[in-house]
Amino acid sequence: MTNLTLKQLRYFEALTRHGHFGRAAESCAISQPALSMQIKAFEEELGAELFERDRRQLRLTSFGEEIALRSKDILRSLEELEDYARSSRGGLVTRLRIGVIPTVAPYLLPSLIGELNRLYDGLDLHVRETLTPKLVQELNEGRLDMAIVALPVSEPSLTETTLFTESFVLVRPREDEGKPAPNPEDLREMRLLLLEEGHCFREQALSFCNKNPRAVQSRDLLDASSLSTLVQMVDAGLGVTLLPEMAVAVETRSASVSVTRFKPPQPSRTIGMVWRKTSPLSKQFSQISEAVRLSAGAARS
């Protein structure tokens, strides 16, 4: 077996990730026939089929599942080899792939991107915004270098460093301005507008209200996919919501709502940065975390 190529491994990984030849080809910037030909050559070289093909679905064979695991390990090791080479040359990475959760990205990224470009001339920056489980998966697979998430992640393979802690505030209709903030028990009786399932901010808000996420019925809550939508729903009189401090200035500037701080102990979250413990660029990532702290301070103020 001498004709396996790195290109074939990357195409195979893309196809297992997307489960669709067209989307995988698009992500690899090649035509679908070219991708199909490379996958076929990969299977012929291995001597076994990697996929079960039918008109509706593409499934890995048991052999393909094992090859997929091994391919991820190989590609991750290759990424770390490239990182080691960049680290040994001194200075910072020339490329940085960073993931950010949706409840942080819109408020932190404008200042962060400017700060990183100012500090590291010529940096090739790639940003990925998605939920924490997906970010952790892509970190472990070597498709991201680091991620900004709510801590703790408690993933044994990742290093965690704290960036900042921020409080949550209550957002209510404008006519409620001046009223004292409700305690968690009273808030539990209100119609609470939250992000849809999968967002860690949802679980944090429910925890403050002493609501068990598994026991919450759909009729009790109205869900949204963004903090912006939540604020507009409050403006429309549909209920109340919580916002992290960082989002207040951006999300409430065009809405007729009131913002109230809770009495201590205030609900809060800790935002941090994570990266693989095996990354040769750990020292540089620690330096980058300082730039993120500066940007976060500017965004929150």
Side-chain angles (χ1 to χ4, degrees), residues 60-100:
L60 284 168
T61 62
S62 56
F63 176 72
E65 289 176 353
E66 182 63 28
I67 295 299
L69 291 174
R70 294 175 183 269
S71 295
K72 287 178 181 178
D73 289 340
I74 292 169
L75 291 172
R76 183 171 59 248
S77 296
L78 180 64
E79 292 285 351
E80 292 180 354
L81 181 63
E82 293 174 348
D83 288 343
Y84 178 76
R86 285 181 282 167
S87 177
S88 67
R89 293 195 295 266
L92 179 72
V93 224
T94 55
R95 181 194 67 185
L96 181 63
R97 301 165 301 170
I98 185 168
V100 193

Side-chain angles (χ1 to χ4, degrees), residues 193 227-238 251-252 254-257:
L193 311 176
L227 296 179
S228 178
T229 301
L230 288 178
V231 173
Q232 295 305 316
M233 290 164 72
V234 173
D235 191 356
L238 297 180
E251 301 301 352
T252 64
S254 60
S256 181
V257 296

Side-chain angles (χ1 to χ4, degrees), residues 172-178 234-235 252-253 255-259:
R172 296 181 288 189
R174 179 60 59 84
E175 55 264 29
D176 290 337
E177 190 165 2
V234 173
D235 191 356
T252 64
R253 62 190 173 193
S256 181
V257 296
S258 65
V259 177

Side-chain angles (χ1 to χ4, degrees), residues 254-268:
S254 60
S256 181
V257 296
S258 65
V259 177
T260 306
R261 288 188 176 275
F262 292 97
K263 295 179 180 179
Q266 296 178 344
S268 64

Side-chain angles (χ1 to χ4, degrees), residues 20-154:
H20 186 275
F21 275 93
R23 290 191 293 270
E26 184 179 357
S27 72
C28 296
I30 63 171
S31 67
Q32 184 171 329
L35 177 71
S36 298
M37 185 171 60
Q38 288 291 336
I39 295 297
K40 187 64 176 176
F42 191 39
E43 288 179 319
E44 290 175 353
E45 187 64 26
L46 292 171
E49 290 190 349
L50 298 168
F51 296 96
E52 297 176 18
R53 298 168 173 85
D54 61 41
R55 293 182 179 180
R56 295 185 177 181
Q57 195 171 11
L58 188 68
R59 300 186 187 89
L60 284 168
T61 62
S62 56
F63 176 72
E65 289 176 353
E66 182 63 28
I67 295 299
L69 291 174
R70 294 175 183 269
S71 295
K72 287 178 181 178
D73 289 340
I74 292 169
L75 291 172
R76 183 171 59 248
S77 296
L78 180 64
E79 292 285 351
E80 292 180 354
L81 181 63
E82 293 174 348
D83 288 343
Y84 178 76
R86 285 181 282 167
S87 177
S88 67
R89 293 195 295 266
L92 179 72
V93 224
T94 55
R95 181 194 67 185
L96 181 63
R97 301 165 301 170
I98 185 168
V100 193
I101 55 175
T103 55
V104 169
Y107 321 109
L108 177 62
L109 286 179
S111 57
L112 176 59
I113 291 173
E115 181 70 10
L116 290 175
N117 286 330
R118 184 184 69 82
L119 292 174
Y120 310 113
D121 186 43
L123 177 66
D124 181 17
L125 185 62
H126 299 257
V127 177
R128 167 91 159 114
E129 178 187 338
T130 190
L131 302 180
T132 300
K134 189 66 175 176
L135 292 177
V136 170
Q137 177 187 343
E138 294 182 9
L139 273 171
N140 283 326
E141 292 175 355
R143 291 190 281 128
L144 288 175
D145 297 311
M146 58 168 58
I148 299 172
V149 296
L151 299 181
V153 173
S154 303

